[in-house]
């Protein structure tokens, strides 16, 4: 697989999650193991530009695919998160940023959400589309503001 622009050859058992392969085999600590059940989004990475929960994906499924973790991201969202206080402890931030990048691509591609009847990429639309990423510190207002700023 290609990870953050580098081709990586991994020999992993078929039951190894993509998250464990990234963290334990490649030493990438950006994606976090939060719940390990796909409920918190701390492990969110991009697979061929699409956001996924790496804890729910098997590494072998992504052979030949392009995986981007926060370590491989250069995006205006990163600075927007800082400017808008979109983080506190920072544990969820890598997953939040990767998810937001994927979410913005989904929105631009015209993929609907449960609140797409709203006017553009407003607060309700962002909150709905980011609802799979939890922040235990409660930095949601800053996260929404950062995404709004970066999407302009």
């Amino acid at each position: 697989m290609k990870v953050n622009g580098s081709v990586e050859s991994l020999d992993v058992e078929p039951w190894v999650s993509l998250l464990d392969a990234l963290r334990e085999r490649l030493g990438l600590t950006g994606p976090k193991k939060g719940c390990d059940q796909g409920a918190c989004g701390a492990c969110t990475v991009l697979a061929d530009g699409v956001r996924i929960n790496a804890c729910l994906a098997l590494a072998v499924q992504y052979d030949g695919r392009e995986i981007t973790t926060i370590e491989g991201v250069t995006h205006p969202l990163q600075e927007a998160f800082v400017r808008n206080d979109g983080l506190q402890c920072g544990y969820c931030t890598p997953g939040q940023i990767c998810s937001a990048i994927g979410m913005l691509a989904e929105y631009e591609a015209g993929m609907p959400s449960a609140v797409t009847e709203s006017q553009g990429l407003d607060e309700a639309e962002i909150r709905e589309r980011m609802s799979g990423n939890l922040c235990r510190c409660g930095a949601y207002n800053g996260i929404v503001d950062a995404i709004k700023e970066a999407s302009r």
Side-chain angles (χ1 to χ4, degrees), residues 94-117:
Q96 294 277 1
I97 290 173
C98 285
S99 186
I101 291 168
M103 179 273 294
L104 290 171
E106 293 166 7
Y107 180 78
E108 290 298 318
M111 294 176 69
S113 80
V115 295
T116 298
E117 299 302 318

Side-chain angles (χ1 to χ4, degrees), residues 29-91:
T29 57
K32 302 293 190 268
K33 189 175 277 194
C35 66
D36 209 21
Q37 299 175 5
C40 74
C43 66
T44 305
V45 299
L46 301 169
D48 296 328
V50 176
R51 59 185 171 161
I52 63 165
N53 289 333
C55 73
L56 296 180
L58 296 174
V60 295
Q61 293 175 283
Y62 291 87
D63 185 27
R65 309 267 304 269
E66 174 125 14
I67 305 299
T68 305
T69 69
I70 193 67
E71 290 91 345
V73 168
T74 303
H75 195 280
L77 270 166
Q78 293 163 297
E79 290 181 15
F81 263 66
V82 173
R83 276 192 300 275
N84 290 280
D85 293 323
L87 61 125
Q88 288 182 32
C89 80
Y91 193 83

Side-chain angles (χ1 to χ4, degrees), residues 128-148:
E128 171 63 24
R129 289 176 182 267
M130 292 294 293
S131 64
N133 288 80
L134 303 179
C135 173
R136 293 189 174 123
C137 297
Y140 294 112
N141 292 334
I143 292 167
V144 170
D145 290 346
I147 294 170
K148 283 196 292 194

Side-chain angles (χ1 to χ4, degrees), residues 107 113-126 129:
Y107 180 78
S113 80
V115 295
T116 298
E117 299 302 318
S118 65
Q119 296 296 315
L121 193 59
D122 61 9
E123 183 174 326
E125 187 74 27
I126 292 169
R129 289 176 182 267

Side-chain angles (χ1 to χ4, degrees), residues 1 10 12-22 54 56-65 67:
M1 78 181 73
L10 295 173
V12 297
E13 296 81 4
W15 56 82
V16 173
S17 73
L18 179 59
L19 177 61
D20 287 342
L22 293 170
L56 296 180
L58 296 174
V60 295
Q61 293 175 283
Y62 291 87
D63 185 27
R65 309 267 304 269
I67 305 299

